[in-house]
Amino acid sequence: MKKDFVVTPWEVKGDIDYEKLTRDFGVKHLDDKILKGLEKEAGELHYFLKRKIFFAHTYFDEILAEAKKGNKFYLYTGRAPSGPVHLGHLVPWIFTRWLQDKFGATLLFQIPDEEKFLFKDNLTFDDTKKWAYENTLDIIAMGFDPKKTKVFLDTEYAGHMYKTACMVAKRTNISTLKSLFGLKDSNNVGEFFYTCMQSVPAFLPTIMENEPTRCLIPCAIDQDVHFRLTRDVAAGIGFPKPATILSRFLPGLTEGGKMSSSIENTAIFSTDSENVVRDKIMRYAFSGGRESAAEHRKTGGVPEVDVSYQYLTYFLEDSNKLKKIYDDYKSGKMLTGELKQITVDTINEFLSEHRARREEAKTRIEDFMLRD
Ligand code: TRP
């Protein structure tokens, strides 16, 4: 039997049953028909789609229909600046970059600095500003097109957002927020208001283009709750409903659930050195191997629960190589040490390129920022 799991925008833990989550959240699977449609428009499918890392959606079929007609849509995603970026954060951004490349879409990247200020006890606006800067370097390092990408902090772009946030707020009552998010009377009023701000960028495409313009939001599935509210109010305030395309969570090193900065030894950060990455994986990555090498050779490993193998499904693009690793590990031909070594090398290769682009990004920040 599966253990209990929790998925909210603020907490993800336990052994996540994505089937149940899809039903509970009222979202749809990215089924073969929709993937065929996407392949036709994009020319190919990203391996995140083939491997069901992005696996669910709302209204993505309508976005595809727009693309097919030659109409533009925007992309929108975000990052609340509470600490360093880890590999799990990069997953939706890698995919967003691919979508931007394939569709030439403008990307709005929200940095809701007030979110973490409001929800965390010990974070000042000075802290969030520092992390916003650090995180923006990671965002720019993804390789988004500077001509088509706008990054903004809520506290610096609020003048353009506030009216729309109030339109959302006026249609949102406290009981809805309590039932969607589990907020209580003891939560502060900023926490109640916050989703109104996260909704706004979904409507900015229409405001910026001055005509109804669809918006597609690539994100991890926990964020869909915010956008359920956004979808519910959209028509009433004269905007098209935003669509979402939703990913699983990159697992943490030591356990189920997701990679998280707040749980020790579960995260690999974008700025970790090669040695730190090696050390974390060798020491902490949960292994699907057997007690002894002899037993492993005899019965084989369990790639499905092996965190190093799971990471390869996210970061090793070559599907033939991945298949061979799966087969060799499962048959017992490959030992845990060898598998971990491949994972260390794969992640270090990815991160060394990322770190170089992140360094370069320091001179390019102003090419991306939007301010009041
Ligand atoms: N709430 C998100 C977080 O905690 C940040 C965010 C804002 C976001 N807008 C978004 C994430 C849109 C995905 C899509 O990090």
Side-chain angles (χ1 to χ4, degrees), residues 15-275:
D15 203 351
I16 300 155
D17 178 343
Y18 286 100
E19 271 308 314
K20 181 165 188 306
L21 203 55
T22 305
R23 282 196 306 275
D24 290 354
F25 277 21
V27 299
K28 292 185 178 159
H29 279 287
L30 282 172
D31 59 24
D32 288 345
K33 180 164 171 267
I34 213 161
L35 289 179
K36 274 220 173 70
L38 172 54
E39 186 169 16
K40 200 157 165 231
E41 291 309 312
E44 59 177 350
L45 285 182
H46 193 275
Y47 69 95
F48 284 178
L49 295 160
K50 294 182 192 157
R51 296 179 194 169
K52 309 278 176 213
I53 289 169
F54 273 79
F55 73 104
H57 77 102
T58 61
Y59 298 106
F60 183 57
D61 43 345
E62 295 184 12
I63 296 287
L64 278 179
E66 290 295 320
K68 203 169 177 174
K69 280 189 271 175
N71 294 339
K72 70 167 122 183
F73 64 88
Y74 276 44
L75 294 162
Y76 157 38
T77 194
R79 155 76 186 153
S82 55
V85 159
H86 60 57
L87 289 178
H89 298 126
L90 299 182
V91 168
W93 305 354
I94 293 169
F95 188 59
T96 302
R97 156 85 201 271
W98 181 80
L99 288 168
Q100 181 177 64
D101 284 354
K102 293 296 172 193
F103 292 95
T106 298
L107 165 65
L108 302 176
F109 207 118
Q110 179 179 39
I111 302 189
D113 47 342
E114 85 283 37
E115 177 181 6
K116 293 296 162 163
F117 173 77
L118 292 166
F119 281 88
K120 295 234 167 182
D121 285 338
N122 296 319
L123 215 64
T124 65
F125 272 124
D126 283 341
D127 299 331
T128 56
K129 199 175 182 76
K130 171 187 166 242
W131 288 120
Y133 171 78
E134 292 295 327
N135 297 174
T136 300
L137 298 178
D138 288 289
I139 293 163
I140 294 172
M142 302 315 295
F144 296 119
D145 180 347
K147 288 198 212 68
K148 291 190 171 153
T149 304
K150 319 256 173 248
V151 183
F152 51 91
L153 276 66
D154 282 3
T155 58
E156 293 181 354
Y157 197 56
H160 282 82
M161 301 173 71
Y162 192 58
K163 269 191 195 163
T164 312
C166 288
M167 290 162 90
V168 178
K170 195 169 179 179
R171 300 223 156 215
T172 304
N173 60 38
I174 296 291
S175 46
T176 302
L177 290 167
K178 283 185 176 173
S179 75
L180 273 180
F181 296 102
L183 292 172
K184 307 246 162 33
D185 286 353
S186 56
N187 283 95
N188 68 59
V189 293
E191 290 171 305
F192 280 90
F193 185 71
Y194 172 69
T195 296
C196 303
M197 288 297 279
Q198 185 159 328
S199 294
V200 173
F203 303 139
L204 285 176
T206 295
I207 294 168
M208 289 171 163
E209 295 292 324
N210 221 350
E211 62 180 351
T213 306
R214 296 298 296 250
C215 181
L216 171 64
I217 310 168
C219 58
I221 189 165
D222 61 309
Q223 295 294 314
D224 193 74
V225 183
H226 288 293
F227 301 120
R228 197 180 312 160
L229 187 148
T230 315
R231 290 188 291 268
D232 286 349
V233 300
I237 57 175
F239 292 104
K241 281 183 203 283
T244 54
I245 188 159
L246 305 165
S247 76
R248 292 166 191 270
F249 305 106
L250 184 74
L253 281 161
T254 53
E255 48 169 305
K258 71 165 177 175
M259 187 173 275
S260 162
S261 317
S262 43
I263 311 172
E264 223 187 323
N265 302 331
T266 67
I268 295 172
F269 297 105
S270 72
T271 49
D272 280 348
S273 69
E274 301 205 342
N275 284 335

Side-chain angles (χ1 to χ4, degrees), residues 326-350:
Y326 179 94
D327 291 342
D328 287 353
Y329 194 61
K330 206 173 173 79
S331 73
K333 201 167 147 195
M334 180 181 283
L335 297 175
T336 298
E338 299 168 65
L339 172 60
K340 285 196 171 190
Q341 185 59 51
I342 296 172
T343 306
V344 168
D345 293 344
T346 304
I347 289 179
N348 273 336
E349 191 185 319
F350 172 81

